[in-house]
Amino acid sequence: MTALLRCLRDRYRKLDLDRPADGKYVVSTMQITWLDIVDSAVKIGLGVVLGGGFGYLNAKLGHERDAKARYATRRRDQLEKVRALLTEFDKKRIHQTACIRSYLEWKDNDDVKAKEQLVHLEKIDEEFPVTFENFTEASRILLTLDATDADEALWDYYTINNKWYEITIQEFEIMAKKGIDELREKIRLSRRQLLSLLAAAYRSE
């Protein structure tokens, strides 16, 4: 009997008895060895290392995404400036073209209206050359953004518009309507090509 009690005593020293509300005992082992301690420490340390590594990686990727987003925003802002410069030029060119066409229509029918258009043309011819300077600024921006294809199209557009601008009103009078329309069509196609490349540059990062 004494031996049995000693055996039970030794056994319960190695066990933890938790008594729940229902009064029933639930036995859970509490044997802890140095191997268990080392194993837990390694797991905790590994968790800290992995957590720190993933945190650093996530922060780095987030920073790179933010940097790309800021660059894309600045790039698009610069391309918007190019489009604004071209819009300013196009408005002047369209105004000049309208005055030339009006003059050609009125020169044989109404001298008063024809002279009015000539006055408008003289005023435009004073302002129009200034807008050609927009091409230099637009080219600087495009080259800074490495949009070389758009820059080449820009100068093609400049060349065809400069050819139009250099035609005098007397030469327009001599040119047939077909010749004028052909030149205007070349300008239109050149402008379309330029805007298409600007749109491609706008979408790229």
Side-chain angles (χ1 to χ4, degrees), residues 12-28:
Y12 280 105
R13 282 177 181 176
K14 299 178 182 180
L15 299 175
D16 177 49
L17 299 180
D18 298 323
R19 185 171 185 176
D22 58 5
K24 296 181 180 180
Y25 286 98
V26 178
V27 181
S28 58

Side-chain angles (χ1 to χ4, degrees), residues 46-185:
L46 184 61
V48 171
V49 171
L50 290 176
F54 281 121
Y56 170 77
L57 182 61
N58 186 51
K60 183 179 180 181
L61 292 175
H63 177 72
E64 290 178 355
R65 286 194 297 269
D66 291 342
K68 288 182 178 179
R70 288 193 297 270
Y71 171 76
T73 300
R74 289 196 301 270
R75 180 185 179 88
R76 289 169 181 169
D77 288 343
Q78 292 298 308
L79 289 172
E80 286 295 337
K81 290 182 180 179
V82 172
R83 293 210 286 191
L85 290 167
L86 290 174
T87 299
E88 181 184 2
F89 173 82
D90 286 338
K91 286 181 178 179
K92 291 291 184 182
R93 180 185 57 79
I94 292 171
H95 190 190
Q96 185 214 38
T97 301
C99 288
I100 291 173
R101 294 187 66 177
S102 296
Y103 169 76
L104 295 176
E105 290 176 1
W106 292 112
K107 70 181 182 68
D108 295 327
N109 302 319
D110 193 321
D111 289 339
V112 175
K113 291 184 177 179
K115 288 179 180 179
E116 289 177 355
Q117 294 304 318
L118 282 178
V119 172
H120 287 309
L121 278 173
E122 288 177 0
K123 184 178 180 180
I124 293 173
D125 285 343
E126 292 176 358
E127 301 172 351
F128 197 26
V130 178
T131 59
F132 274 94
E133 297 176 3
N134 291 5
F135 285 88
T136 302
E137 177 63 14
S139 178
R140 182 192 66 79
I141 294 173
L142 292 176
L143 290 177
T144 301
L145 298 177
D146 197 29
T148 54
D149 290 342
D151 184 64
E152 290 181 8
L154 174 73
W155 288 110
D156 289 341
Y157 187 55
Y158 168 87
T159 301
I160 192 68
N161 276 286
N162 191 55
K163 183 178 179 180
W164 172 275
Y165 174 73
E166 289 179 346
I167 300 175
T168 65
I169 191 64
Q170 291 77 17
E171 290 173 331
F172 273 117
E173 292 178 8
I174 297 172
M175 289 176 64
K177 183 178 182 300
K178 181 180 179 182
I180 296 175
D181 290 342
E182 287 177 353
L183 185 55
R184 291 182 62 221
E185 180 65 11

